[in-house]
Amino acid sequence: MVDLDFAIESARVEPGAASPMLFFSLHVTNKSQAVPIQNLMLNCQVRIEPTRRRYAPDDHDRLLDLFGEPERWGQTLQGFLWVHTTASTPPFTDQCTIDLPVPCSYDFNIAATKYFYGLNEGDVPLLLLFSGSVFYLDNAGNLQAAQIPWSKEASFRLPVKLWQTMMDCYYPDSTWLRLRRDVFEQLYRYKRHRRLPTFELALQALLDERTGDTRP
């Protein structure tokens, strides 16, 4: 029987992808060293475990939309799914290291985006759960297949600064906000009627009207 261990060694930003992307350096160890691995077809569920770190007072306000008032965090601060991803390995016997792609989003309707954006510093505690298939050669040289047990997992602490660097790379000095179509039409109409050149100025004008700001 094949017995594998998984560990994340590091993470890096992929600057040339079509959308924000991280690569985790995934180290796979074959504890059954007499069994040559022909291929791993990995499925990975990446989860965020917010209870595994401390939070500064500034974080409380920035995470209000996600977890509510700090007094309720004992009930609301729960682990949640970030992303599903897949990867495969080349043949190996003892161990190998591959890039595990982790696609990211800047959509603020997604809980993970709210969480990353709500932190100024420190690490994000991650739990990676592995499944999939392993193909190997038995003692007679015959190709065999087995399932990777659900108990296989790895922990990793992703630096918040790395996520911020990635978003600055893909969206320099900007954020991405999705609006319902009817709300966008109202905003666009307001922008046109006020002869405002950008949506940023339209939103700023609306905020100024709400707060009574009379800036030029």
Side-chain angles (χ1 to χ4, degrees):
M1 187 65 179
V2 178
D3 189 9
L4 303 171
D5 276 345
F6 300 90
I8 304 297
E9 297 182 327
S10 62
R12 62 179 174 83
V13 176
E14 173 50 56
S19 59
M21 178 76 72
L22 293 172
F23 277 115
F24 288 178
S25 180
L26 174 63
H27 188 77
V28 185
T29 302
N30 181 12
K31 297 169 68 175
S32 309
Q33 296 183 3
V35 181
I37 304 298
Q38 298 301 295
N39 178 248
L40 289 181
M41 301 294 292
L42 285 173
N43 300 315
C44 180
Q45 180 185 138
V46 186
R47 297 182 58 82
I48 294 175
E49 300 292 319
T51 59
R52 296 185 179 181
R53 61 156 287 164
R54 295 173 179 255
Y55 297 91
D58 288 347
D59 299 329
H60 296 169
D61 180 64
R62 295 171 66 90
L63 294 172
L64 181 66
D65 188 36
L66 187 58
F67 298 125
E69 299 291 344
E71 294 78 12
R72 300 180 53 234
W73 282 19
Q75 292 76 43
T76 62
L77 208 66
Q78 303 292 330
F80 58 92
L81 175 68
W82 177 13
V83 67
H84 287 282
T85 187
T86 61
S88 61
T89 71
F92 68 97
T93 299
D94 298 330
Q95 57 188 346
C96 76
T97 301
I98 62 170
D99 282 337
L100 179 69
V102 181
C104 303
S105 172
Y106 213 12
D107 184 350
F108 278 83
N109 291 301
I110 296 175
T113 303
K114 294 179 182 180
Y115 184 76
F116 280 110
Y117 190 79
L119 301 176
N120 285 317
E121 58 186 16
D123 300 327
V124 175
L126 301 178
L127 179 64
L128 292 87
L129 306 176
F130 296 97
S131 62
S133 301
V134 52
F135 300 90
Y136 63 97
L137 298 179
D138 61 17
N139 293 333
N142 299 314
L143 183 64
Q144 303 291 331
Q147 294 298 305
I148 298 170
W150 285 98
S151 59
K152 294 299 181 180
E153 60 185 44
S155 297
F156 182 65
R157 301 189 75 87
L158 178 70
V160 173
K161 294 297 183 185
L162 186 66
W163 187 87
Q164 295 169 346
T165 297
M166 174 184 62
M167 290 309 177
D168 286 342
C169 174
Y170 282 88
Y171 304 103
D173 195 30
S174 61
T175 56
W176 191 92
L177 184 63
R178 187 178 68 180
L179 299 176
R180 208 174 62 229
R181 185 170 297 170
D182 62 325
V183 175
F184 171 79
E185 289 295 340
Q186 294 179 60
L187 178 62
Y188 195 21
R189 186 182 308 115
Y190 178 86
K191 174 181 176 294
R192 296 195 307 269
H193 291 176
R194 291 287 298 269
R195 301 293 193 271
L196 298 170
T198 67
F199 284 102
E200 287 85 353
L201 288 174
L203 288 169
Q204 186 63 62
L206 285 168
L207 290 171
D208 291 346
E209 289 176 6
R210 182 177 178 83
T211 60
D213 195 328
T214 58
R215 71 181 69 185

